[in-house]
Amino acid sequence: MDSLPLFIKGLLIGIIVAAPMGPVNILCIHRTITCGRVAGLTTGLGAALGDAAFALVAAAGITAVSAFVEAHEAWFRIPGGILLLILGLKLWLSHPHYEQREINGHGMARSMAATFILTVSNPITIAAFVALFVAWGMSSGLDVPQSAEVVSGVFVGSMVWWVALVVLIGLLHSKIEDRHMLLLNRITAAAVIAFGLYAIDSVTLKIFS
């Protein structure tokens, strides 16, 4: 791995961090099916920007970043958990129809902002970046051009994952009927609420343990 260009390292890190199935992946799948590929890509773009922001912070100083995240974990988890609960309840109460899958610019901006916040409020993400930076020989700090190369690689890698996911899920459009939409909403809502409760509960247990 040490011989790889920094951009390629960043690209691989972006894919590795984005790929695990979590609330953002679930929301991206849901938005792609219910609102179309553009909405799905916008949702993924918010996550990719969040990944790039974390990569920039990690590139600035591994030790300081790790210590800060560990000391302020609750401030990361609680806002993300609350946002997940709000999104989950909103999904549970809605019933989009297949023929009404269009989404306007305001809705796409809101989706992008939501996934950006969810990404940067997850301390597991920054922990993954720290671990990968250390494992791949980037723990000693990078100068500005090197940091820019890594961060751009992370953004591109993350977007590669989201584009691949949206294209794959988009192929299911022809098989989705209106009667499936409520079931999809309820499953997505239950998963998102579960992630939110877990995020908040993990902080509560840590505080009172």
Side-chain angles (χ1 to χ4, degrees):
M1 287 293 183
D2 290 341
S3 60
L4 290 176
L6 290 174
F7 179 83
I8 300 300
K9 287 184 179 181
L11 186 146
L12 294 174
I13 289 173
I15 295 174
I16 291 170
V17 172
M21 187 56 63
V24 177
N25 276 268
I26 291 172
L27 288 172
C28 183
I29 292 170
H30 178 270
R31 297 292 279 179
T32 301
I33 293 176
T34 59
C35 301
R37 290 185 177 91
V38 174
L41 286 174
T42 304
T43 302
L45 176 59
L49 290 172
D51 288 338
F54 264 153
L56 180 61
V57 174
I62 297 297
T63 303
V65 170
S66 181
F68 179 83
V69 171
E70 184 176 353
H72 301 85
E73 183 176 353
W75 292 102
F76 286 88
R77 282 189 180 272
I78 290 177
I82 293 173
L83 179 57
L84 285 172
L85 292 179
I86 293 172
L87 289 173
L89 290 172
K90 183 177 179 181
L91 287 172
W92 185 272
L93 296 173
S94 66
H95 182 192
H97 298 283
Y98 186 75
E99 67 272 13
Q100 296 174 344
R101 287 167 47 248
E102 296 300 322
I103 182 172
N104 57 32
H106 179 68
M108 286 189 284
R110 192 166 51 200
S111 294
M112 184 173 68
T115 49
F116 176 83
I117 293 171
L118 287 176
T119 301
V120 299
S121 64
N122 185 1
I124 296 176
T125 304
I126 189 61
F129 273 111
V130 170
L132 289 167
F133 270 57
V134 171
W136 291 6
M138 296 183 289
S139 59
S140 58
L142 304 171
D143 59 29
V144 173
Q146 290 174 325
S147 296
E149 187 175 352
V150 173
V151 171
S152 60
V154 168
F155 176 78
V156 171
S158 184
M159 281 307 300
V160 165
W161 168 257
W162 297 117
V163 169
L165 181 64
V166 167
V167 170
L168 178 62
I169 299 302
L171 296 176
L172 300 175
H173 274 175
S174 61
K175 300 180 181 180
I176 299 295
E177 300 176 6
D178 186 68
R179 61 191 177 89
H180 300 137
M181 300 297 257
L182 180 59
L183 178 61
L184 173 65
N185 255 37
R186 293 292 167 84
I187 293 173
T188 303
V192 171
I193 289 172
F195 277 113
L197 290 174
Y198 174 78
I200 294 173
D201 186 58
S202 63
V203 174
T204 304
L205 289 174
K206 186 173 182 179
I207 292 174
F208 293 101
S209 61

